[in-house]
Amino acid sequence: MKSIIIFILLVFSISAYSETTMENFKSSPENRWQFFTDQVMGGRSIGKLDFLSEENISFARMTGDVTTENNGGFIQFRAQLGYKLMDSFEGIRLQVRGNNQDYFIHIRTKGSVLPWQYYGKKFFASSKWSEVELKFSEFQKSSSFMRKNFKPSSIRTIAIVAYGRDHKAEIEVSELKVF
């Protein structure tokens, strides 16, 4: 009986730590997240990032006009990871809401030396809050000079990106977790 109780406690403690909240946008997120556009490289996209609260949900809202004019095509908000993730994590979960369009997560690692090097994965943001689960093994590298996959412990930054086509962007994120 004692060993069964220990086993049950062990299972519950492992599952309690199998998911870690990275961001919930509640405590001064403006100190962690940076907004920028393709204007840093001559593009013409415009936008903004706001931190809001609605019905006890705190979230980041990125809006703007993405244009591929003048070799541009993105707006994003990005945070540096202030700690090292365990390599046992398999992916990231987001609570998102948007304008029924595709968006991206871009992850930069210790091996992402050049500004255009990242690992990316597309996701859909519906008009209602929903959970999106993205496995790290499904992220695609942006450059042939990068490793095919990355270790979670090598992640330096995570960005939410409106990218690659002319469109109006509106994406809200209330939570990021790793699992």
Side-chain angles (χ1 to χ4, degrees), residues 35-38 45-48 62-66 73-77 160-163 169:
F35 173 80
F36 59 97
T37 72
D38 56 20
S45 298
I46 59 170
K48 67 178 184 166
M62 180 174 69
T63 56
D65 292 314
V66 179
F74 75 86
I75 62 174
Q76 70 174 279
F77 63 106
I160 310 299
V161 187
Y163 167 75

Side-chain angles (χ1 to χ4, degrees), residues 152-166:
S153 62
S154 72
I155 296 174
R156 291 187 326 185
T157 66
I158 294 179
I160 310 299
V161 187
Y163 167 75
R165 67 193 193 314
D166 296 334

Side-chain angles (χ1 to χ4, degrees), residues 16-33:
Y17 292 106
S18 64
E19 185 174 80
T20 301
T21 299
M22 297 173 64
E23 180 65 74
N24 61 15
F25 298 98
K26 290 185 183 195
S27 177
S28 303
E30 64 278 2
N31 295 333
R32 294 181 299 280
W33 292 89

